[in-house]
Structures are given as C-alpha cells and as structure tokens.
Amino acid sequence: MPLRKVAISQAQFERSPDQDADIFTADMIGHDEGAPVTIGFGRYGPHQELNETMLVDDVMMVIAGHLTVTGGNGSVTAGPGEVVHMPKGERIQIRSHEHGATTAYVTYPHWKDAR
Amino acid sequence: MPLRKVAISQAQFERSPDQDADIFTADMIGHDEGAPVTIGFGRYGPHQELNETMLVDDVMMVIAGHLTVTGGNGSVTAGPGEVVHMPKGERIQIRSHEHGATTAYVTYPHWKDAR
C-alpha cells in the first residue's frame, strides 16, 4: 500500500445511502486498497439533515462550511479545521447550515462493510 | 464515549518525540477516551523535516500551509483540505514549506501505544 494524497477535486460523489437529502460521499481509500480505515470526502447542500446510528467510529474534519451534529449528550457546531468524533453506537443527527459544507472523513472500521 | 468536537484552539502541543525539529503534536481523543483511533492536531514550523517509519496507519489532513511527504513511491505535496495517507510500515519524510503547516490526524491504531 503506497503513500497517497487525496484531494476533493478527484472525488466522485455518490448520494449517501438510505436517504434522499443532498448529502454525498466519496470514498477515496479503504478496504480495496488494504487500508484499515476508510478515507473519503463528504458534501452537504444547504440546510440538509442526516439521521443515523453510527455503525463505525467516524472522524469528520470540516473543510468548508459548518455542520451541527447532535448526539445523546448534546450538540456541537464545527467549522473549517474543526473535527467531530462520532462514536460507534451513537444516534446522531447532522445538519448543514446555509452554505452547506464539505468534509473529509476517516472511519474505523470501513463504514460500507458495516452496513 | 460521547460525541465530541475538537478544535486546534484547545490543543496542548508537545514536541513530536525522538526529534528536535519545530514539529509538535497534540492528541485530543484516543486510547484514554476508549476510541479505536487517535485524533489530534499537528503543527509544523517553516522548513522543518521529520523522518519516520510508520508504526501505524496515519491519515493527515492539512488545515493550513503545505507539506511535502516522501515515501518509497515518490512525493506528494498537500495543502489546505487535502489528505495524505501514510501507511503502516512506510518509511516517510515530511517537510514543511516556508509558512509551516497545521494538520489534523487520525491514526489506527493509537500511535503512542505503537512506539
């Protein structure tokens, strides 16, 4: 497995599964590359909402825009350069703000395998 | 383990171990919090260099500045919003440019446990 850089300009976004909001994911490095984590990018349209029970640990880094994430112990709002840890088992809601958001994520283990 | 946001403003940086460059790390969430990954922030002064054999898989997201990472298969240069995967076992060199850099990282497993 080689050293690799990934950039959002290379991302091929797909709609996040099992929901119809304007929320898209693009896995860049993961299972197929032999990595123990999945690395990808996320894109949220303005004022979108995603509700999910975490099947994996997901670390989300905000690149642009803002997201409010609500879990069992309250809400956090993250902007560029900030990082949100969504632990496995947590019931979470992610809401984008007026300008949407782009993110990078790292999941352990691979989120698509866990579905 | 609760949902949590981490920001670089909360980081308490320490010099990256076993080297004397102006390169600092701040673990934010990890072993002690029961997470399967370590999440932290990195800070690089201008024109610094780190040489290391990766003991864990390390995903580095550039928040500000630029870093050039060299591995066995060549070099990549990453700027804000770009992500570099440094696989376990890879011998790597990280070099900062004239303005230094700040990063967020996610390691699997915990990098401090692997040392």
Side-chain angles (χ1 to χ4, degrees):
Chain A
M1 189 170 35
L3 170 73
R4 234 182 105 190
K5 176 179 94 162
V6 292
I8 207 161
S9 58
Q10 307 158 329
Q12 300 199 316
F13 285 100
E14 304 173 347
R15 194 173 296 268
S16 185
D18 302 333
Q19 53 91 39
D20 58 5
D22 284 338
I23 299 175
F24 301 87
T25 62
D27 283 0
M28 305 298 288
I29 296 174
H31 191 151
D32 292 350
E33 291 75 22
V37 293
T38 293
I39 305 165
F41 292 108
R43 192 160 64 191
Y44 297 72
H47 300 299
Q48 299 298 301
E49 183 182 315
L50 178 68
N51 292 279
E52 198 163 14
T53 298
M54 302 308 296
L55 299 176
V56 297
D57 277 77
D58 190 326
V59 182
M60 180 173 73
M61 295 161 272
V62 178
I63 296 172
H66 290 81
L67 292 168
T68 295
V69 186
T70 303
N73 62 317
S75 290
V76 296
T77 295
E82 297 184 324
V83 178
V84 178
H85 175 219
M86 297 178 281
K88 181 176 173 177
E90 186 86 358
R91 177 83 193 154
I92 59 108
Q93 179 192 72
I94 304 177
R95 281 187 303 108
S96 61
H97 294 214
E98 61 182 318
H99 299 298
T102 56
T103 65
Y105 56 76
V106 179
T107 78
Y108 175 82
H110 303 293
W111 71 278
K112 280 189 179 164
D113 292 354
R115 295 189 75 86
Chain B
M1 188 171 35
L3 170 73
R4 233 182 105 189
K5 176 180 94 162
V6 291
I8 208 161
S9 58
Q10 307 158 330
Q12 300 199 318
F13 285 100
E14 303 174 348
R15 194 173 297 268
S16 185
D18 303 333
Q19 55 89 39
D20 58 6
D22 284 339
I23 299 175
F24 301 86
T25 61
D27 284 359
M28 305 299 288
I29 296 174
H31 191 151
D32 293 350
E33 291 75 22
V37 293
T38 293
I39 305 164
F41 293 108
R43 192 162 62 191
Y44 296 73
H47 300 300
Q48 299 298 300
E49 182 182 316
L50 178 68
N51 292 279
E52 198 163 14
T53 298
M54 303 307 298
L55 300 175
V56 297
D57 277 77
D58 190 325
V59 182
M60 179 171 74
M61 191 194 76
V62 178
I63 297 172
H66 289 82
L67 292 168
T68 296
V69 187
T70 303
N73 61 317
S75 290
V76 297
T77 295
E82 296 184 323
V83 178
V84 178
H85 176 221
M86 297 177 282
K88 182 176 173 176
E90 185 87 357
R91 176 83 193 154
I92 60 109
Q93 179 191 72
I94 304 177
R95 282 188 302 109
S96 61
H97 294 214
E98 60 181 317
H99 299 299
T102 57
T103 65
Y105 55 77
V106 179
T107 79
Y108 175 82
H110 304 294
W111 71 277
K112 280 189 179 165
D113 292 357
R115 296 189 76 85

